[in-house]
């Protein structure tokens, strides 16, 4: 008597580039898995790690919704072994970028003839450059029309050319 098993398969999909605040759906395709449960494993920056240490959410044979907690280069693997002893697996590389944060301080009041200092602090900018915008309550305006001076990731010195109420905005 010979028992013949069908050939199984395992696969899944999630985006390969994420930010640490993204919750993503992992879509799985498991073929001929029967009553077996997929085993999910994870590597971060080349080291094996526990899923619970790096992601929130859970993964099952049906996939799941997960969020990577920290930046890093990950390899997610799903595998199972059928009743005939054959193992199947699939892995995917995922690059998780940090979510940059930026705060700045400026004086509450200024005069059009007085230069003011804009102090900036940020985390996880990793070579990204801040783009500065000025809003005068009528939307974003041309910087050079309303502001003299330049700001960068470290802040800088500027003065406003016209009286008014302004909001400085920085984008990454």
């Amino acid at each position: 008597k010979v028992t013949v098993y069908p050939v199984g398969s395992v696969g899944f999909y999630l985006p390969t580039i994420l930010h640490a605040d993204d919750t993503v759906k992992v879509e799985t395709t498991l073929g001929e898995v029967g009553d077996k449960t997929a085993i999910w494993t994870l590597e971060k920056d080349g080291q094996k790690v526990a899923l619970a240490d790096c992601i929130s959410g859970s993964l099952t044979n049906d996939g799941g919704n997960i969020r990577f907690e920290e930046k890093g280069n990950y390899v997610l693997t799903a595998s199972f072994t059928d009743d005939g002893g054959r193992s199947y697996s699939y892995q995917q590389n995922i690059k998780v970028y940090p979510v940059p944060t930026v705060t700045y301080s400026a004086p509450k009041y200024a005069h059009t003839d007085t230069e003011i200092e804009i102090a900036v602090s940020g985390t996880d900018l990793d070579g990204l450059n801040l783009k500065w915008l000025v809003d005068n309550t009528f939307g974003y305006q041309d910087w050079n029309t309303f502001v003299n001076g330049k700001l960068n990731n470290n802040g800088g010195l500027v003065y406003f050319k016209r009286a008014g109420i302004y909001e400085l905005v920085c984008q990454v």
Side-chain angles (χ1 to χ4, degrees):
K1 188 170 166 182
V2 175
T3 303
V4 178
Y5 293 99
V7 176
S9 63
V10 59
F12 61 86
Y13 171 80
L14 74 156
T16 58
I17 298 174
L18 305 168
H19 283 92
D21 65 344
D22 292 333
T23 298
V24 295
K25 180 177 179 140
V26 178
E27 299 176 19
T28 59
T29 305
L30 300 176
E32 303 299 335
V33 71
D35 62 355
K36 301 294 183 184
T37 301
I39 297 169
W40 294 90
T41 58
L42 187 65
E43 290 182 19
K44 178 184 179 195
D45 299 324
Q47 301 294 316
K48 290 188 178 195
V49 293
L51 263 72
D53 292 343
C54 295
I55 64 169
S56 60
S58 61
L59 293 168
T60 67
N61 285 7
D62 297 320
N65 292 306
I66 61 171
R67 182 171 58 88
F68 289 85
E69 302 288 337
E70 298 176 351
K71 69 180 178 179
N73 293 301
Y74 294 88
V75 178
L76 181 63
T77 303
S79 60
F80 76 92
T81 302
D82 67 15
D83 289 332
R86 183 183 278 184
S87 296
Y88 304 89
S89 69
Y90 177 81
Q91 65 183 25
Q92 182 175 323
N93 295 320
I94 304 111
K95 171 76 174 174
V96 178
Y97 289 97
V99 178
T101 60
V102 176
T103 58
Y104 69 89
S105 61
K108 188 171 181 175
Y109 302 103
H111 291 89
T112 56
D113 65 349
T114 305
E115 198 170 54
I116 61 171
E117 181 179 4
I118 308 299
V120 175
S121 65
T123 60
D124 293 318
L125 289 173
D126 294 338
L128 299 172
N129 292 318
L130 298 178
K131 177 182 178 184
W132 289 89
L133 306 168
V134 62
D135 185 339
N136 69 347
T137 69
F138 294 105
Y140 295 122
Q141 302 299 321
D142 177 63
W143 182 270
N144 293 325
T145 301
F146 289 87
V147 180
N148 188 29
K150 300 289 181 200
L151 297 175
N152 58 34
N153 289 17
N154 300 315
L157 299 171
V158 297
Y159 72 84
F160 292 93
K161 297 178 180 179
R162 301 175 183 184
I165 298 172
Y166 297 97
E167 179 180 8
L168 293 175
V169 176
C170 65
Q171 296 177 339
V172 178

